[in-house]
């Protein structure tokens, strides 16, 4: 899969490790990442040998520090912003709806889109160094998929604490509220995630696929339409432009509520 430039794949028998591979950028999710992850999942679903996927980040610092904020500022017009949000939401849905179980191995920062990716996965294992946050409100945005899915995972009030107040959670807190199912020593993370993947891979594939679909049956994909409209309008606000400018200029934003 040499055409995949943002991610790498490693075969571990029936389990494939998919690694977000931009360690110099704390595995920030660039424009090319979103379709590439969908393509990788589609290929793994079709290969006839992969039974489970482990999703992690390259290096020791980050699962993913989130979206490429500078790239947001380059989006020109409502249509471009909506198209980009569509790409993001399609990719989160591809993880959530994949026939294969996807296990997040969170090895460091899981901020913004990185936290949302973890929410989209079926199981989350975290290094004891992991930190989770959805801090988009600091630059005038909200995490679209996170707002949609986090309440079902961690409850409405914890979601508000993270989204509205920008609260950061360490691995222990994340495990306590159900965002993480298992917390392990940093050096044991990948082995632990592979062990879970191998355990799932030994089960009947159709049973695993059916079980995942049944557990997810309450998810309403139609709600993404509301999210697309809301976030597209938000991205077009003066406050979002100010928030992105402040971030890139390393200063505090001055929000005006418009």
């Amino acid at each position: 899969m040499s055409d995949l430039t943002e991610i790498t794949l490693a075969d571990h028998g029936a389990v494939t490790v998919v690694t977000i591979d931009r360690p110099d950028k704390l595995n920030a999710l660039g424009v090319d990442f979103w379709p590439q992850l969908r393509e990788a999942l589609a290929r793994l679903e079709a290969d006839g040998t992969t039974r489970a996927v482990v999703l992690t980040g390259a290096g020791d610092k980050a699962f993913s520090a989130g979206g490429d904020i500078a790239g947001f500022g380059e989006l020109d017009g409502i249509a471009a912003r909506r198209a980009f949000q569509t790409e993001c939401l399609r990719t989160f849905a591809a993880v959530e709806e994949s026939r294969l179980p996807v296990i997040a191995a969170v090895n460091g920062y899981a901020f913004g889109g990185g936290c949302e990716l973890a929410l989209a996965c079926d199981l989350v294992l975290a290094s004891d160094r992991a930190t989770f946050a959805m801090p988009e409100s600091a630059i005038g945005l909200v995490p679209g998929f996170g707002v949609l899915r986090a309440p079902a995972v961690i409850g409405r009030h914890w979601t508000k604490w993270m989204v509205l107040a920008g609260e950061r959670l360490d691995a222990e807190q994340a495990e306590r509220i159900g965002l993480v199912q298992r917390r392990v020593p940093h050096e044991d993370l990948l082995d632990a995630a592979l062990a879970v993947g191998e355990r799932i891979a030994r089960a009947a594939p159709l049973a695993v696929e059916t079980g995942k679909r049944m557990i997810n049956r309450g998810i309403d994909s139609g709600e993404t339409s509301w999210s697309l409209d809301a976030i597209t309008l938000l991205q077009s606000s003066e406050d979002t432009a100010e928030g992105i400018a402040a971030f890139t200029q390393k200063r505090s934003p001055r929000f005006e509520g418009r």
Side-chain angles (χ1 to χ4, degrees):
M1 296 190 185
S2 59
D3 55 322
L4 301 177
T5 59
E6 301 285 310
I7 58 178
T8 60
L9 278 67
D11 184 354
H12 291 260
V15 183
T16 296
V17 176
V18 178
T19 302
I20 308 165
D21 194 19
R22 297 183 74 196
D24 56 324
K25 300 288 187 182
L26 296 178
N27 301 319
L29 308 176
V31 173
D32 294 334
F33 165 80
W34 307 98
Q36 287 187 23
L37 182 57
R38 294 200 306 273
E39 175 64 20
L41 286 173
R43 295 184 196 182
L44 294 174
E45 289 168 3
D47 70 11
T49 59
T50 301
R51 298 285 182 85
V53 173
V54 171
L55 179 62
T56 193
D60 286 331
K61 293 183 178 180
F63 176 71
S64 172
D68 187 343
I69 294 174
F72 293 156
E74 296 171 2
L75 296 173
D76 186 17
I78 295 269
R81 295 182 180 111
R82 185 178 182 87
F84 178 74
Q85 286 302 320
T86 299
E87 280 286 286
C88 297
L89 288 171
R90 282 182 64 197
T91 304
F92 291 132
V95 174
E96 187 175 61
E97 298 169 6
S98 174
R99 293 172 49 232
L100 300 170
V102 182
I103 302 157
V106 180
N107 53 314
Y109 301 127
F111 290 175
C115 187
E116 293 177 90
L117 264 182
L119 285 165
C121 292
D122 299 296
L123 299 171
V124 182
L125 280 72
S127 153
D128 52 12
R129 302 181 192 172
T131 310
F132 297 82
M134 290 185 281
E136 286 90 337
S137 63
I139 59 166
L141 291 170
V142 294
F145 186 86
V147 168
L148 296 177
R149 295 295 181 260
V153 178
I154 63 174
R156 289 186 179 183
H157 286 79
W158 272 109
T159 301
K160 291 173 184 176
W161 193 237
M162 294 185 74
V163 171
L164 306 184
E167 181 77 357
R168 295 187 181 190
L169 305 178
D170 62 23
E172 182 180 4
Q173 291 172 301
E175 183 181 38
R176 190 169 66 247
I177 68 172
L179 178 54
V180 166
Q181 282 71 63
R182 183 173 296 171
R183 174 170 47 101
V184 300
H186 184 76
E187 60 274 13
D188 297 337
L189 176 63
L190 187 57
D191 285 344
L194 284 169
V196 174
E198 289 161 1
R199 180 177 176 182
I200 293 172
R202 290 193 292 270
L206 288 177
V208 170
E209 179 184 351
T210 301
K212 175 173 175 173
R213 291 180 62 186
M214 291 179 68
I215 293 165
N216 285 348
R217 70 191 184 279
I219 295 171
D220 178 9
S221 60
E223 65 196 5
T224 60
S225 176
W226 176 89
S227 180
L228 275 173
D229 290 340
I231 295 175
T232 300
L233 288 173
L234 189 60
Q235 282 191 339
S236 303
S237 70
E238 293 179 23
D239 274 357
T240 294
E242 164 62 13
I244 292 172
F247 179 86
T248 57
Q249 295 165 17
K250 295 181 169 52
R251 61 172 174 82
S252 298
R254 298 180 292 273
F255 295 129
E256 302 290 340
R258 58 176 184 266

